[in-house]
Amino acid sequence: MSTDSCFEQIYNFRDLGGHHCGAGHKTRRGVIFRSANTSYATQKDAKVLTEKLKINSILDFRDRKDKSQAGGANLLDSDYPEIPPSATGVENQREDKKRTNNVHGSGVRKRIKIGSRKLRNLIIGRWKKIEIARYVFWMLIGKLAALSIFSLNCTFALAMWLTNQGSPQDNSPQILKAMKKPLVYAEIFALTRQYDVAFRNLGNMASLYKMVLEFAGGRVAAALKFCATKENQPVLFHCASGKDRAGLVAYLLLRACGVSSKTCIEEYHKSDEWAQMQEHFHQISGGHGNLFRSLATDPLLNALRAPKVYMEETEAFLQKRYGGVMNYLDEIGFDKAWRERLKETFVIRV
C-alpha cells in the first residue's frame, strides 16, 4: 500500500517498502510507513491503521505546540496512547497500556521532537538583530490576534447563555463570524509574515535539513533506532506535513538499507504533490487554507514544497561534511550493527 487513497483524512501516506536496494534485495512492504500528521484521522482511518495495516506504533516528530496548532480531533490518541520519553518502544509498555485502560488500542505513540526549541533558538541566533525583531513582532501580533479571538468566543458564549439561557439566536453565529473576521485575517497575516522572515533567512529548506542533521543528530538516531526495533513494527512515523522531518528520516532509513540516492530523492519528491494541495494549507493554518494561501509570499510557498534539489543539497552536505551517509549514521550512533538490525526485518531477497 503506497498511497493515501484508502484514507479519508491522513495525507501524504506511503509504505517505504518495495524499493530495490541492490544485490537482489528490496525493502519489505508493511513494515515502515510515513505520512503527514494524524490529528485529523477519522474513525475509518483509525480502522485502516489498526485492523488493515496493523500498525503497532506511531512515531510523532512534533512537539506539543505543533500538535495543538494542527487542531483536529486526535482520535488516534485513544488507540495509540503516548509512552514516556524514557521508554524505548512497545516491548516495555504493557503495564503503561494497562494503566491507560487502552483495551481497544493497537499499540503506542512515541514522541521524538526533531526540531526542538533549542535548535530553533540556535537558528534564530544566527540572524541579524533586525530580522529577529521582525520575527518576534509578527509572532506577538499573531498571539495577540489569537488571544482576542479566544476572548471574543468566551464573551459571546457567556452573553448568549445569560440572555438566552444557553439557546443562541438564529443569527448569532453570523454575528460572531463577522466580528472575528478581521481578527482571523490579522492572525493568518501575522503567521505568513513570521514564516516569511524565517524562510528568507534560511535560504531554503535544505539549510534547515543540514542544521537538523548536524545539531539534532541524537534525536534523528533515536527515531531510526525506534523504526529498526522489531517490537515496534509495523511503525508509522510522521511530523506536521510529512515532508521535512519525516522526509529526512525516510531518506536515512532507505539509504541505510542500500537504496540508491536517486530512488531516495525521488521518494522524498513524492511529497511535493501533497505540499500543493488545499488540504495541506488548511492544516498548517488551523483551517484557513484559502486565506493562508492568498497571503503567503513566494519564499514561504517555495519552502512548503519538496523539490528534489532540497534533498540533493542535503546529500551533498553529508558527503562533504562526513564523507557520506554511512559515515554520518556511524557518527550519530546508528552504526553498522543497528543497520543490520534494521535489514533483518525490513529487507528481503527477491
Side-chain angles (χ1 to χ4, degrees), residues 24 118 158 282:
K118 182 178 180 181
L158 178 61
H282 178 80

Side-chain angles (χ1 to χ4, degrees), residues 232-280:
N232 298 335
Q233 300 167 352
V235 57
L236 165 65
F237 62 83
H238 70 86
C239 50
S241 297
K243 72 177 187 69
D244 299 318
R245 289 165 287 187
L248 273 177
V249 171
Y251 168 84
L252 292 173
L253 281 170
L254 293 176
R255 293 290 280 133
C257 292
V259 179
S260 71
S261 170
K262 180 180 178 181
T263 298
C264 292
I265 291 174
E266 288 176 348
E267 207 288 327
Y268 163 81
H269 182 56
K270 289 178 182 177
S271 295
D272 196 52
E273 180 180 354
W274 149 248
Q276 299 176 72
M277 291 173 60
Q278 188 63 24
E279 289 86 352
H280 182 213

Side-chain angles (χ1 to χ4, degrees), residues 152-164:
L152 183 60
N153 285 334
C154 292
T155 302
F156 198 85
L158 178 61
M160 289 297 98
W161 182 79
L162 291 174
T163 57
N164 298 287

Side-chain angles (χ1 to χ4, degrees), residues 2-64:
S2 58
T3 70
D4 55 5
S5 58
C6 58
F7 293 104
E8 292 179 335
Q9 291 191 157
I10 296 180
Y11 300 99
N12 203 21
F13 181 94
R14 295 195 291 282
D15 188 336
L16 291 184
H19 296 292
H20 290 279
C21 41
H25 291 79
K26 68 178 181 179
T27 53
R28 185 194 300 268
R29 293 189 181 275
V31 178
I32 302 177
F33 302 86
R34 58 173 291 180
S35 74
N37 81 80
T38 58
S39 296
Y40 289 86
T42 64
Q43 292 287 359
K44 178 185 175 182
D45 295 336
K47 190 173 183 179
V48 172
L49 290 178
T50 58
E51 298 181 13
K52 187 173 184 178
L53 299 178
K54 302 187 185 302
I55 298 297
N56 199 28
S57 53
I58 294 179
L59 184 55
D60 191 341
F61 299 143
R62 303 173 298 169
D63 58 24
R64 298 190 185 281

Side-chain angles (χ1 to χ4, degrees), residues 204-207 209-210 265-266 268-269 302 305-316:
N204 62 33
M205 291 304 292
S207 299
Y209 298 168
K210 296 171 190 177
I265 291 174
E266 288 176 348
Y268 163 81
H269 182 56
N302 290 334
R305 297 190 61 178
K308 294 181 181 179
V309 66
Y310 290 171
M311 197 55 71
E312 290 170 347
E313 289 185 24
T314 303
E315 185 168 86

Side-chain angles (χ1 to χ4, degrees), residues 108-349:
V108 295
R109 177 185 296 270
K110 172 78 171 178
R111 188 181 305 278
I112 298 178
K113 297 179 286 187
I114 298 180
S116 63
R117 181 180 299 179
K118 182 178 180 181
L119 178 60
R120 288 196 292 267
N121 290 342
L122 179 64
I123 294 172
I124 294 174
R126 297 185 174 189
W127 300 351
K128 295 180 180 179
K129 291 183 178 179
I130 184 63
E131 297 300 318
I132 296 176
R134 288 172 179 166
Y135 183 85
V136 173
F137 171 78
W138 288 118
M139 180 179 66
L140 293 176
I141 292 296
K143 288 182 178 296
L144 179 61
L147 180 61
S148 298
I149 293 171
F150 176 77
S151 299
L152 183 60
N153 285 334
C154 292
T155 302
F156 198 85
L158 178 61
M160 289 297 98
W161 182 79
L162 291 174
T163 57
N164 298 287
Q165 297 182 349
S167 300
Q169 299 173 358
D170 292 339
N171 63 342
S172 58
Q174 287 74 24
I175 295 173
L176 179 60
K177 184 176 180 180
M179 294 176 69
K180 289 198 306 184
K181 188 174 182 178
L183 294 174
V184 170
Y185 184 92
E187 181 184 18
I188 301 303
F189 184 85
L191 179 65
T192 59
R193 293 311 178 268
Q194 183 184 347
Y195 283 157
D196 179 71
V197 172
F199 292 128
R200 283 184 185 275
N201 282 278
L202 275 173
N204 62 33
M205 291 304 292
S207 299
L208 178 60
Y209 298 168
K210 296 171 190 177
M211 296 193 74
V212 168
L213 292 171
E214 190 168 6
F215 297 107
R219 298 190 180 195
V220 171
L224 297 174
K225 291 176 181 179
F226 187 91
C227 293
T229 301
K230 182 179 180 180
E231 291 79 5
N232 298 335
Q233 300 167 352
V235 57
L236 165 65
F237 62 83
H238 70 86
C239 50
S241 297
K243 72 177 187 69
D244 299 318
R245 289 165 287 187
L248 273 177
V249 171
Y251 168 84
L252 292 173
L253 281 170
L254 293 176
R255 293 290 280 133
C257 292
V259 179
S260 71
S261 170
K262 180 180 178 181
T263 298
C264 292
I265 291 174
E266 288 176 348
E267 207 288 327
Y268 163 81
H269 182 56
K270 289 178 182 177
S271 295
D272 196 52
E273 180 180 354
W274 149 248
Q276 299 176 72
M277 291 173 60
Q278 188 63 24
E279 289 86 352
H280 182 213
F281 292 97
H282 178 80
Q283 289 192 8
I284 62 178
S285 63
H288 304 285
N290 289 329
L291 180 59
F292 183 94
R293 195 166 195 168
S294 67
L295 294 173
T297 61
D298 288 340
L300 172 54
L301 291 174
N302 290 334
L304 292 175
R305 297 190 61 178
K308 294 181 181 179
V309 66
Y310 290 171
M311 197 55 71
E312 290 170 347
E313 289 185 24
T314 303
E315 185 168 86
F317 163 78
L318 289 173
Q319 184 63 42
K320 181 177 180 180
R321 185 65 178 267
Y322 298 95
V325 177
M326 299 306 168
N327 287 342
Y328 171 75
L329 294 175
D330 288 336
E331 179 80 16
I332 64 174
F334 195 70
D335 55 19
K336 185 176 180 180
W338 270 104
R339 296 196 290 272
E340 289 303 317
R341 186 174 176 178
L342 170 65
K343 292 177 184 178
E344 286 177 7
T345 56
F346 190 43
V347 174
I348 59 174
R349 183 179 294 275

